[in-house]
Amino acid sequence: MTTPQFVPYRDRHEPAEPPERAAAAFCSVMQRRRSVRMFSDRPVSRATIEWCVRAAHSAPSGANKQPWRFVCVQDPAVKARIRAGAEAEEREFYGRRANAEWLRDLEPLGTDEHKEFLTTAPWLVVVFQLTHTDGGGQVYYLKESVGLACGLFLAAAHHAGLATLTHTPSPMAFLGEILARPAHERPFLLIPVGHPADDCVVPAFACERRPLDEVMVVV
Ligand code: IYR
């Protein structure tokens, strides 16, 4: 039996302005995030990526098991292998796997099997979910935990002025093979990170959000 230990919550984040103004300011930053598929090859320092991973790693997780690994790829040869693997899966997806409704839903995004951004972006952050801890212990609420960490990563990168994409070539098993990850690590999300290309465009449709009263219910 472990006796719980508590420490005072002293290092609280207390913004200079009241909560409503602070929330509105953060919202206006987050509303300018876009999923970007046109990256510049402009470098991004390793330290920047480390800060974003630290922010992601602050996420809550079931029983604080922190069931994630962020494999951060900058090696051009590894990026090229990842691109080849992803494009092979995407050729299958667009050519065979996706049904008609799915393909129709993707039309406004203008996506296809070509994934040039996987070699242009200076970093590919491949997020793995751990089906067990490194010591073989149980993990809890795995998808929720890793999803939260990924969300914080996107917010941290955006806050730093960087663009990201949540890319999910499916199936993603090739990522574990290329990156030689152990069996208890399952690929979860592939996040290219970098500066947007100077001539970057984003789908107009992706900027639209349903009105608040459709997504929020107050009782
Ligand atoms: N993984 C494919 C297809 C794709 C699927 C969804 I759902 C998207 O929101 C975007 C793309 C691709 O990346 O092209």
Side-chain angles (χ1 to χ4, degrees):
M1 176 81 183
T2 309
T3 311
Q5 304 281 313
F6 294 92
V7 292
Y9 184 15
R10 285 224 183 81
D11 58 343
R12 283 186 288 230
H13 171 60
E14 289 176 291
E17 64 256 298
E20 188 174 323
R21 288 178 66 102
F26 185 68
C27 173
S28 110
V29 173
M30 290 314 298
Q31 283 178 330
R32 282 177 273 163
R33 187 201 55 79
R34 296 285 177 273
S35 290
V36 159
R37 294 179 177 81
M38 298 167 72
F39 285 87
S40 153
D41 61 3
R42 187 175 149 195
V44 169
S45 73
R46 173 181 168 146
T48 307
I49 300 299
E50 283 181 359
W51 284 118
C52 294
V53 172
R54 280 191 189 95
H57 186 40
S58 76
S61 60
N64 193 27
K65 296 290 180 180
Q66 307 163 36
W68 42 65
R69 191 101 59 216
F70 291 81
V71 180
C72 303
V73 180
Q74 54 169 351
D75 183 330
V78 181
K79 288 196 294 180
R81 292 183 63 202
I82 290 176
R83 177 178 171 183
E87 288 185 332
E89 294 298 357
E90 298 293 13
R91 266 193 299 277
E92 278 293 304
F93 173 81
Y94 285 97
R96 263 174 287 275
R97 266 190 228 124
N99 64 23
E101 182 176 353
W102 198 341
L103 291 175
R104 215 171 28 248
D105 280 342
L106 292 180
E107 277 170 10
L109 296 176
T111 53
D112 60 23
E113 66 271 32
H114 300 105
K115 303 298 174 190
E116 195 184 332
F117 54 77
L118 292 174
T119 43
T120 317
W123 291 93
L124 302 180
V125 175
V126 188
V127 186
F128 288 82
Q129 52 182 341
L130 274 55
T131 58
H132 293 93
T133 66
D134 291 332
Q138 289 188 164
V139 296
Y140 310 95
Y141 300 102
L142 182 53
K143 284 199 161 56
E144 293 85 345
S145 302
V146 184
L148 286 161
C150 289
L152 293 189
F153 183 91
L154 299 185
H158 176 64
H159 181 259
L162 296 172
T164 54
L165 176 67
T166 46
H167 183 41
T168 51
S170 168
M172 286 197 278
F174 72 93
L175 291 168
E177 288 157 22
I178 291 171
L179 299 170
R181 302 312 305 169
H184 71 298
E185 293 184 18
R186 298 258 165 82
F188 186 79
L189 192 59
L190 170 45
I191 312 178
V193 188
H195 294 274
D198 289 338
D199 58 353
C200 177
V201 292
V202 293
F205 135 101
C207 305
E208 293 163 13
R209 282 292 180 270
R210 294 159 61 201
L212 191 66
D213 64 5
E214 276 189 24
V215 298
M216 178 175 179
V217 177
V218 180
V219 291

